[in-house]
Amino acid sequence: MKTVQLAIVGGGPAGLSAAVEAAQLGVSVIVLDENPRLGGQIYRQPASEFGISDEKKLGKQYRDGKKLLQKVAAFQAEITIWSNTLVWGYFGEKELAVIRNGRAEILKADQIIIASGTYDRPLPFPGWTLPGVFGAGGVQVLIKSQGVLPGTRFLLAGSGPLQLAVADQLLKAGAEIVAVVEATSTTRMLRYLPRLLRQPTLVLDGIKYLAKLKLHGVPYIHSHAIIKTSGAEEVNQAVIAAIDKDWQPIAGTEKSFRVDAVCLGYGLVPNTDLTRLCRCVHHYDESLGGWIPEYNERMESSVPGIFVAGDGCGVRGVNMAIQEGRLAGIYAARNLVLIDDATANRSANLVRAKLRGLQKFAGALSELYCLKSGIYVLARNETVICRCEEVDLNRIRKAIGAGADNVDDIKRRTRAGMGYCQGRMCASSILTIAQREAHSNPERLSYLKARSPVKPIPLAAFLE
Amino acid sequence: MSKDRRISGPIVRGEPFQITVDGKPVTAYAGETIATVLLASGFRIFRHTARQGEPRSVFCGIGICYDCLVTVNNVPNQRACMTFAKPGLAVIRQRGTVEKDVSSE
Amino acid sequence: MNSIDVVVVGGGSIGASVAYYLSKENVKVRLFERRELASEASSANFGGVPLQTTECPDLTLTSARMFQGLASELEYDFELEYTGSCMLMDKDEQLPMVEENAKRLSQHGIKVDMLTGKEVREIDPDISPEILGASRCSEGMIINPMKLVYGFANAARKLGAQLDTYTEVKKIRSENGKIKSVITDKGEIDTKFVVLATGAWSPILGDALNLRIPVLPRRGQILITEPYKLGKLRYLLDSDYLVTGFNLEAVRKSQDPRIKLGVSSVLTQPSNGNWLIGTSRDFPGYDNRTTLETMIQVARRSVKFLPKLRHANIIRAMAGLRPFSDDGRPIISTVNEIEGLIIAIGHHGEGMVHSPITGKLVAELVTKGRMSMPINEYSYARFSPVDRSRENAS
């Protein structure tokens, strides 16, 4: 069994910033990531086999990511990278179960930082499983790090600035966009604008993206949402409609588009499988993505020695992820008694000042674009909710009608959540739908029980 | 619509090689995932589901949703978005969850 | 304060069955479950009805036969499949044990056939070439255990029972040697009868009554694979089960890490195609987490029987706490010390198969004061020493 002072789960901006900060303070670190290259989602790097003709064309995030990776590389002695490594379990005593080279291994750490990020919120509506309907994050990965366009004629639907960035990437790659559909209203946006202006560069970026859309003749439609897609074996039509304050569609406002790809950007869901498995205390905050782990001013979770940082503990963007990672790195070093309280607090206070500066903007953004549960009325009885087990809304409703008001209970009765993705594509929908239809609340509904393995693993990994 | 949807620049690809998809030869490049190769070559539909026979493809693109499952070199249920193309790889698009042919052992 | 005929504590397979059979006899039932129905051991098992591995052949056979027609009686499909069960041998030394078990079972009316390794593989070519032989019971079956619980619960409700989930019974009160009430986290309910169906958690409630309830939580772990095409034999048992299940002494003495964790294979494949791979037996207190060592042993042992599983992906795992009584047999009886208390626990690995008969016998105890089966061997009084004391009303 390998031991290390600090294990960091997740090689994105939060995890890598934590690694650098901790390494600077003398901590020996192992960063674990499932992918072959570091960067997570937002700093995802193109495959190492590719060449790059013009780095400038890869965008600011690629460059920022590269800079951070260079910082990591500067600490070769302190930071070890375990790529292609899946963290699948936690068995107490700070022992992480991993799969490396097809074998199950245990990594025992003194301190752990969990920075596992997020994934696109799955939003069920008629036709959402059709080939050609993608999550915005997936489209970004395909364009930025694989150099492939997953379609030619796109509709983008969602809420928040991520869509604008994806639209920009699509246009640069030569795709046609029929419309970008934004759920929030212009009124709401204007109301939040003063708070958003705390980060003028980010607002300016947004304006630049909007100007680009205008230039390309791409309609940017507020207060609308996608309501269905259709096609025989792949998507060829998308329908949008105006929505009210609760994001429920307004009858008679439907507009149809011919498309061959749809990009959904309805927010991000934090990966909390590992933090729940470690029995960290969580609370529910819709504006930050749903269930998120609690943490103190040191970024330590309710379990001593387990820290959290980044979007995985609440969706607030890359800038906050970096600073939180640094904070976690500082206090992991403090727990390891490599620095004393005074030193830790001194460095931490500088980071906290930065966080305070970012907090107001991030808070305003999350509030502005917070998902309204009315959008879940889009799903019909025949709409698949659990993609893996093909469980439709009708079965979920039957379970709720039989008295189930807990996500696990609904899972037992319907098989929703029993497939490969282990509920990642359906648990948040089940929770929100049950909240509305069973008049329940997140505390009662809870979530799917976290159990090792938190990702599918080959049985062969246990064999000799 | 089998137009190659690879984006030219800023990514520079090396020498092309061949993999097969449902027995047909298809061009691939080092660094590409099977999902990329399929999407670039006009293979939108990756599989059909076990119960309802519904078509599925890439959805989340980051290895979370397990919708993009294909059989690679006889090993079924591999995530196309997380598996990298190599020369001579044989990809089969599956119906449901296909059991590995153990008679070859 | 409400008055009710019988309070049932515990919403697993036993509690739900008791609620149903009592309601059938027009008894007014109120069931309290502190979480959801089937949230503990009843949802962490194979759903296997293993006639071959029973310690209580009479109870088991009677109960297993009650499954015929139960789905239409309850008007609820709990996915019953008569798969038969097949106990496989991988070592010569297992043969005498398996043959003796087969003989014992047939004396009680459970028919078991012996097969050679060749015969087993003729039925199912996926069975390992290393298997020397098997004993097969064609009456074995698998069900969806959660749906059995929901089936009983639904039917009980239709007959007038009130089932309250998220309501915890904190204490059972007796006065002058008689049941008086139960205290829940939502109030006190007067009653003359309480049926304790709280499985491994029974000692906690027994303490308040000054009763020693001799069950311990015994954990079992199961790995679940992705769906496969359905095999020919879908309920496989490891002959070592006869050791790990019942021979605590042998387990304690063994040097084999697998036996020490109580790991012997049980492999079931319900119709949705996932293989459930288990199982284990250890005493971890109330810890129902899965553990790495057990997962490793379970995985390694399983490929001895079904080599094709070495290509499987494990998509989830679960662990449940079985109630293991001091002698491994259920406790279905009244309690001499307290009038009105009935204990229905300790089913340990046969909680699903024993649920119909337990429900029926408890209903007989309540309505007639005696049971139609002579089961003194399942009485509470067989354990000694037993604390006796009178509870004073608090």
Side-chain angles (χ1 to χ4, degrees), chain A residues 378-385 391-395 397:
Chain A
L378 293 176
R380 297 271 117 100
N381 270 334
E382 330 70 68
T383 307
V384 159
I385 301 296
V391 180
D392 60 22
L393 179 56
N394 196 28
R395 292 245 293 272
R397 281 185 168 144

Side-chain angles (χ1 to χ4, degrees), chain B residues 29-74:
Chain B
Y29 295 87
E32 293 187 326
T33 62
I34 292 177
T36 297
V37 177
L38 291 175
L39 290 171
S41 317
F43 293 92
R44 254 299 180 74
I45 300 160
F46 284 33
R47 69 179 178 105
H48 286 81
T49 59
R51 296 203 177 101
Q52 305 292 329
E54 287 184 348
R56 296 284 171 91
S57 184
V58 170
F59 179 61
C60 78
I62 60 171
I64 300 259
C65 74
Y66 287 81
D67 246 341
C68 61
L69 301 178
V70 292
T71 297
V72 180
N73 284 354
N74 250 359

Side-chain angles (χ1 to χ4, degrees), chain A residues 34 41 47 50-53 131 133-135 138 146-147 149-150 173 233-234 260 387 389-390 420-421 424 456, chain B residues 5 7 10-13 30-33 36 44-45 48-49 51-52 55-56 58-60 62 64 66-67 77 79:
Chain A
E34 193 186 355
Q41 306 313 329
F50 291 143
I52 313 284
S53 60
V133 178
F134 302 98
Q146 287 283 295
L149 263 180
E233 289 269 286
E234 38 183 308
D260 65 9
R387 296 171 69 109
E389 290 285 318
E390 305 178 75
Y420 270 108
C421 89
R424 288 177 178 85
Chain B
R5 295 193 194 144
I7 306 164
I11 282 177
V12 176
R13 299 169 184 87
E32 293 187 326
T33 62
T36 297
R44 254 299 180 74
I45 300 160
H48 286 81
T49 59
R51 296 203 177 101
Q52 305 292 329
R56 296 284 171 91
V58 170
F59 179 61
C60 78
I62 60 171
I64 300 259
Y66 287 81
D67 246 341
N77 314 318
R79 290 172 290 174

Side-chain angles (χ1 to χ4, degrees), chain C residues 50-227:
Chain C
L51 300 176
Q52 284 180 282
T53 53
T54 182
E55 276 281 275
C56 344
D58 293 330
L59 202 64
T60 297
L61 187 57
T62 313
S63 200
R65 299 229 165 110
M66 288 173 75
F67 277 94
Q68 265 167 22
L70 187 59
S72 29
E73 184 183 326
L74 299 177
E75 290 173 346
Y76 203 95
D77 175 19
F78 46 85
E79 297 164 18
L80 170 64
E81 294 183 89
Y82 283 101
T83 53
S85 60
C86 202
M87 183 179 283
L88 304 170
M89 293 177 274
D90 67 318
K91 297 185 276 289
D92 287 316
E93 308 90 82
Q94 291 164 334
L95 186 57
M97 192 173 62
V98 173
E99 280 181 331
E100 207 220 288
N101 190 48
K103 212 163 78 182
R104 176 179 70 99
L105 292 170
S106 42
Q107 276 163 6
H108 289 271
I110 299 174
K111 191 165 180 308
V112 172
D113 298 312
M114 298 298 291
L115 302 169
T116 63
K118 185 162 171 282
E119 284 168 334
V120 173
R121 277 180 291 281
E122 267 160 20
I123 300 169
D124 189 345
D126 286 343
I127 302 292
S128 167
E130 289 174 24
I131 295 306
L132 305 168
S135 70
R136 189 179 189 189
C137 175
S138 53
E139 275 196 77
M141 54 187 122
I142 52 182
I143 64 169
N144 180 322
M146 286 90 76
K147 292 209 167 160
L148 180 67
V149 178
Y150 304 143
F152 279 133
N154 265 17
R157 279 196 176 112
K158 278 197 216 153
L159 292 168
Q162 186 177 334
L163 277 62
D164 293 344
T165 54
Y166 285 100
T167 308
E168 184 171 357
V169 170
K170 298 277 197 198
K171 197 168 163 180
I172 302 173
R173 281 181 65 201
S174 70
E175 207 170 70
N176 301 321
K178 290 199 181 111
I179 290 288
K180 183 175 186 323
S181 65
V182 296
I183 300 175
T184 75
D185 54 9
K186 297 197 172 85
E188 188 170 1
I189 283 94
D190 282 346
T191 183
K192 290 206 173 60
F193 276 102
V194 167
V195 177
L196 195 62
T198 44
W201 288 266
S202 307
I204 303 165
L205 285 169
D207 284 348
L209 287 166
N210 259 326
L211 280 183
R212 184 179 84 85
I213 299 196
V215 290
L216 281 178
R218 200 177 191 202
R219 178 172 52 189
Q221 299 184 39
I222 298 178
L223 308 175
I224 301 170
T225 72
E226 76 239 278

Side-chain angles (χ1 to χ4, degrees), chain A residues 16-347:
Chain A
L16 295 180
S17 303
V20 168
E21 200 73 29
Q24 271 167 1
L25 298 169
V27 181
S28 79
V29 180
I30 295 182
V31 177
L32 304 111
D33 197 284
E34 193 186 355
N35 295 292
R37 296 194 79 185
L38 296 175
Q41 306 313 329
I42 197 169
Y43 284 167
R44 192 175 275 256
Q45 306 286 296
S48 50
E49 294 89 337
F50 291 143
I52 313 284
S53 60
D54 184 355
E55 281 207 350
K56 279 203 285 292
K57 291 228 173 87
L58 282 169
K60 181 174 183 292
Q61 267 143 25
Y62 166 79
R63 288 193 298 279
D64 288 346
K66 196 153 172 243
K67 279 198 204 116
L68 184 52
L69 285 168
Q70 280 162 350
K71 278 196 201 159
V72 170
F75 286 100
Q76 282 219 350
E78 292 84 352
I79 303 177
T80 307
I81 311 292
W82 281 12
S83 303
N84 291 311
T85 301
L86 177 66
V87 178
W88 62 269
Y90 181 76
F91 296 103
E93 317 296 330
K94 306 260 183 22
E95 290 177 5
L96 293 167
V98 306
I99 302 272
R100 239 162 96 72
N101 303 317
R103 306 239 22 243
E105 284 178 33
I106 295 279
L107 174 65
K108 188 169 169 71
D110 221 288
Q111 306 289 309
I112 298 176
I113 300 177
I114 298 176
S116 20
T118 60
Y119 58 89
D120 286 317
R121 174 190 292 265
L123 181 72
F125 54 82
W128 74 301
T129 60
L130 277 171
V133 178
F134 302 98
V139 172
Q140 274 201 308
V141 164
L142 289 169
I143 295 175
K144 288 200 310 183
S145 56
Q146 287 283 295
V148 66
L149 263 180
T152 61
R153 204 175 142 86
F154 285 75
L155 173 81
L156 276 66
S159 182
L162 175 61
Q163 293 207 93
L164 295 175
V166 177
D168 187 53
Q169 283 145 19
L170 281 168
L171 290 171
K172 281 202 179 100
E176 197 188 331
I177 302 179
V178 299
V180 177
V181 172
E182 163 62 56
T184 57
S185 64
T186 326
T187 331
R188 242 178 104 73
M189 274 206 57
L190 291 171
R191 210 176 37 233
Y192 278 82
L193 194 58
R195 285 158 72 182
L196 295 176
L197 281 169
R198 284 167 182 276
Q199 296 285 314
T201 31
L202 294 173
V203 177
L204 200 62
D205 282 343
I207 293 174
K208 279 195 209 148
Y209 288 139
L210 290 171
K212 185 122 176 239
L213 289 181
K214 194 90 202 234
L215 200 65
H216 278 81
V218 177
Y220 184 66
I221 310 174
H222 274 278
S223 303
H224 277 66
I226 190 163
I227 64 168
K228 75 179 225 232
T229 53
S230 53
E233 289 269 286
E234 38 183 308
V235 71
N236 62 26
Q237 190 188 57
V239 181
I240 68 170
I243 53 177
D244 62 22
K245 275 211 284 244
D246 188 36
W247 292 18
Q248 291 200 43
I250 298 168
T253 64
E254 294 83 6
K255 220 153 118 171
S256 183
F257 295 93
R258 226 183 13 92
V259 293
D260 65 9
V262 172
C263 178
L264 301 173
Y266 284 99
L268 300 168
V269 178
N271 278 309
T272 55
D273 39 32
L274 203 52
T275 46
R276 285 180 297 114
L277 187 62
C278 296
R279 301 191 166 181
C280 301
V281 172
H282 287 66
H283 69 271
Y284 192 83
D285 187 334
E286 188 70 80
S287 70
L288 295 178
W291 285 105
I292 47 179
E294 295 191 347
Y295 52 90
N296 60 18
E297 75 289 350
R298 299 176 164 212
M299 300 310 300
E300 204 166 16
S301 75
S302 59
V303 177
I306 297 184
F307 295 83
V308 291
D311 275 357
C313 57
V315 182
R316 287 136 316 135
V318 61
N319 294 327
M320 282 195 67
I322 290 169
Q323 301 307 323
E324 287 191 337
R326 294 180 60 203
L327 209 52
I330 291 168
Y331 283 105
R334 166 68 196 104
N335 280 2
L336 288 160
V337 201
L338 288 166
I339 52 173
D340 62 11
D341 260 336
T343 317
N345 291 334
R346 239 190 339 265
S347 309

